[in-house]
Amino acid sequence: STNNKYDFSSIAKSFSFGGSFVKSQPYGFGHINDTYEAYFEMQDGKMKRFILQRINNNVFKNPEKLMENIQSVTAFLRKKIIEAGGDPDRETLNLIPAVDGKSFYKSDEDNYWRAYVFIEGAQTYQVVEKPDHFYNAGRAFGKFQKLLSDYPAESLFETIQNFHNTKVRFETFINAVEKDVMNRAKDVRAEIDFALKRYNEAVLLVNMLERGELPLRVTHNDTKFNNVMIDDESGEGICVIDLDTVMPGLSLYDFGDAIRFGTNPAAEDEKDLSKVWMDLALFEQFTKGFLSAAGDSLTKAELLHLPHSAKIMTYECGIRFLTDFLSGDTYFKIHREGHNLDRARTQFKLVADMEQKFEQMQKIINGGI
Ligand code: ADP
Ligand code: MG
Ligand code: MG
């Protein structure tokens, strides 16, 4: 998307920025929304920038409900941070309301905009550059869980239904195997068997949730390292951003998914599987950070199942890639033949490696509690 595609001065006027619009330009490395920094001359004559985002309405079909989630969760966080004596303008996202009081501005049928206070003096990083950054990311997501531990999670809108329902994911997978529309199942028998063998463990967390053995939580659902703002001076993970996928779920989804993609030194589509493994040192960094901040807000059952969650989230991702390979690559974009199969194989390699390292994960967790 180019910068002159939208009429920014009119969009800017639709929010209560409290200054006059100067200019805007694309900002950051997000892959989902269109993010801009917008500069304003404020009443005191000083320049100030804000974040202006066009919500991706291909991915998010109900932007108004999504914004209700963000509005409500950020207001809750703000209150908690003030109570704890923190800095509410840096430790949570803060929406700038539209002039009509809404949390978004709809410029036309297809374009929903939102604005945030710009968090200055901090950055997001695409890759972990220092090990303690990963510790600090763990802390940030742990703190996010803790601050929201008494938020009524069931009141949130389920932005993407059954996002981590491994039972439903598994059924979809079995369907794809049975239909076998591309006649590819014969080539991936080993991968299919790998998935089938692990069914019982794959649905463990969903079953526990259904039985009330794990609490429903506010879940971030995109716990990537580049969704944490790292403070320029302290290196601390000061704020968790990118709240589009906040919805009811399990704290274990957030932990497990962070481990899935954060601890594998290779790319998600690496063909040389000898390069794909879980780095226990990184696991330890994230886990210690996460537990140091979330620790006492998590139940015994949650703590006990942290290693399972890493495995289950990785397994889930693997069967999603394999499902898409079997169905003719209709969901994930592919850039080469067998791309989704390569992706499924990295995830299953990672699952196998996690099984090897299961006791070591448990030891690290026990040391961090
Ligand atoms: P996406 O869903 O596309 O990943 P994000 O909400 O993560 O979008 O935003 C993209 C990038 O914009 C972030 O990685 C971050 O660098 C920057 N960003 C987002 N919100 C803020 C903010 N409030 N202050 C400063 N930078 C921000
Ligand atoms: Mg992001
Ligand atoms: Mg996002």
Side-chain angles (χ1 to χ4, degrees), residues 130 184 335:
K130 302 176 195 166
R184 286 173 173 174
H335 307 292

Side-chain angles (χ1 to χ4, degrees), residues 30-33 35 51 53 93 117 119 124 226-227 241-242:
H31 288 303
I32 304 295
N33 302 295
T35 303
I51 287 284
Q53 273 182 331
L93 285 174
V117 170
I119 300 168
T124 57
N226 66 10
N227 283 328
I241 62 166
D242 203 347

